[in-house]
Amino acid sequence: MAQFGPVKMWSSYVAARLVAAAIGAFPVDQNLQTAAAIGRMVHRLDKRHRLRAEQSVALAFPEWSIERVSRVVQASNEHLLRLVVEVIQTPRIISPDRWADRIDVSGMGRAIEILGSDRPAVLVTGHVGNWEVLGFYMAAMGFDVDAIARPLDHRLINDWLLGIREHRGMRIITKWDATDRMLAVMQRGGALGFIADQNAGDRGLFVPFFGRLASSYKSIGLLAMNHNAPVVCGYAHRTGPGFHYQIGTTDIIYPEDWADQRDPLFYITARFNRAIEQMVRLRPEQYLWMHRRWKSRPRHEREGKPVPSGLRRNLEALPWMTQEDMDRLCCATPES
């Protein structure tokens, strides 16, 4: 964990607020153009993260040319810098009476019915598009939503960003008080949001993601199972160079979908990862490829052994699994 003394903490906080004030002095679409230009510069200068991102894209899309991989990684860097601007300016743009010219919600469909009901729900998205806009919109529209977020090590900046996130009514749950508050949300029939594509370590549940096994947290599926709650897989994709988004879903997993599955927890976790993969395939240039989704590897890969029979049966039981998918998963190695 990074350590911040009083001088360093206050000086960096003041600098961040000054940058935010400068950003606020210009129209958001102009700021997004500037952010994209900075993203292109970062792409050229930050070789370590560029190579990591290119490796991830090449693993996910082995059929792509080197040139296409490079273009997507550059666009991903532009997207990341735009996100910084949008986090700061979203409260000025999205409100209950002023959002329709910026956000298209035609893809929400059945999700609106679930969010408007009194039954609990689990919401999942990935590091694709703008997850902050997704949560901010739902809170601004009056939906009962809490989101799980890791607090920043910098206390002052964390508190400032927390205020931005909660400006329209979304409540943020940190890891320090997560268990009790998550249960309270589900028990009152609220919606609990997760960014669900983070690496869960060696003890996570390994399920397919872009043709490789990826470690995922078990808590999402367990919450859904224990509270009989549907899992809504949603996104907010940028649809133009300015602040314009489409909010939609790639899947909704209902309790009856997993009721008869061989391993319900594995099924739920695999299915929402598949839904996140679909979000990324729609807009691969809006995914944060530099984050290490496949960092942890299952024990059989680390030891150079075949896929365990139990895992193989769980994979084969997935309705969407093909023989080609199985061959790719079963032949993966820690280095591939």
Side-chain angles (χ1 to χ4, degrees):
M1 179 181 292
Q3 298 295 321
F4 295 93
V7 174
K8 184 178 180 181
M9 178 173 290
W10 278 99
S11 60
S12 56
Y13 171 70
V14 170
R17 294 302 299 263
L18 288 173
V19 169
I23 290 173
F26 296 92
V28 62
D29 290 348
Q30 180 179 340
N31 285 330
L32 291 176
Q33 292 178 11
T34 302
I38 296 173
R40 290 190 290 273
M41 180 177 65
V42 171
H43 173 76
R44 292 193 298 270
L45 299 178
D46 189 353
K47 181 178 180 181
R48 180 167 70 93
H49 288 102
R50 182 178 73 246
L51 293 178
R52 177 192 295 175
E54 288 176 349
Q55 181 183 35
S56 295
V57 175
L59 284 171
F61 298 96
E63 72 279 9
W64 283 8
S65 66
I66 295 174
E67 292 75 17
R68 186 174 183 183
V69 168
S70 181
R71 288 197 303 271
V72 166
V73 172
Q74 176 178 309
S76 175
N77 274 302
E78 295 176 23
H79 173 70
L80 175 59
L81 269 295
R82 286 188 179 118
L83 288 179
V84 175
V85 170
E86 290 172 341
V87 167
I88 295 170
Q89 295 200 276
T90 294
R92 294 170 48 191
I93 298 169
I94 302 178
S95 65
D97 58 351
R98 185 165 56 90
W99 59 268
D101 60 334
R102 297 282 189 173
I103 298 179
D104 173 11
V105 295
S106 58
M108 289 288 282
R110 294 171 296 164
I112 295 293
E113 298 177 12
I114 294 172
L115 291 169
S117 71
D118 58 359
R119 70 184 299 185
V122 176
L123 313 179
V124 301
T125 190
H127 287 94
V128 59
N130 191 325
W131 52 93
E132 298 286 351
V133 164
L134 181 62
F136 204 90
Y137 167 79
M138 290 189 293
M141 295 302 102
F143 295 120
D144 184 9
V145 178
D146 291 69
I148 309 298
R150 180 190 181 278
L152 299 178
D153 296 332
H154 194 300
R155 178 178 55 82
L156 295 177
I157 293 180
N158 180 75
D159 292 346
W160 169 47
L161 293 178
L162 185 65
I164 294 175
R165 286 171 157 178
E166 297 187 331
H167 182 74
R168 294 293 180 193
M170 173 173 282
R171 295 170 297 274
I172 302 299
I173 299 176
T174 68
K175 64 180 182 180
W176 310 121
D177 58 356
T179 302
D180 291 341
R181 288 189 60 187
M182 284 194 299
L183 293 177
V185 171
M186 302 303 283
Q187 289 166 359
R188 72 167 186 262
L192 195 58
F194 293 85
I195 300 176
D197 62 342
Q198 293 152 318
N199 176 58
D202 293 344
R203 295 185 179 182
L205 190 61
F206 285 89
V207 298
F209 187 70
F210 277 101
R212 297 197 77 203
L213 293 172
S215 178
S216 296
Y217 288 102
K218 303 173 184 177
S219 55
I220 297 172
L222 290 172
L223 278 169
M225 293 167 60
N226 291 337
H227 296 274
N228 206 38
V231 181
V232 179
C233 308
Y235 61 83
H237 283 156
R238 181 181 287 110
T239 57
F243 193 108
H244 295 279
Y245 277 89
Q246 179 188 44
I247 294 179
T249 60
T250 50
D251 198 5
I252 298 177
I253 313 169
Y254 291 95
E256 52 267 31
D257 294 336
W258 67 72
D260 297 326
Q261 294 299 319
R262 178 180 182 274
D263 185 333
L265 179 59
F266 186 89
Y267 173 85
I268 296 168
T269 309
R271 186 163 159 181
F272 74 66
N273 271 275
R274 179 172 180 259
I276 294 174
E277 179 179 327
Q278 291 170 332
M279 299 174 199
V280 178
R281 288 185 180 277
L282 289 171
R283 293 287 192 277
E285 74 283 358
Q286 294 183 26
Y287 192 56
L288 300 193
W289 291 103
M290 67 180 65
H291 90 285
R292 304 180 69 184
R293 183 66 187 96
W294 297 283
K295 177 182 179 181
S296 297
R297 307 310 311 142
R299 182 176 178 179
H300 73 270
E301 282 189 20
R302 300 196 307 269
E303 297 179 353
K305 295 180 178 179
V307 176
S309 58
L311 175 57
R312 180 181 289 273
R313 286 194 295 270
N314 279 342
L315 290 169
E316 291 173 341
L318 298 175
W320 58 88
M321 187 62 59
T322 67
Q323 187 58 51
E324 182 181 356
D325 294 333
M326 285 295 301
D327 292 342
R328 186 178 178 191
L329 286 166
C330 293
C331 292
T333 65
E335 293 78 23
S336 64

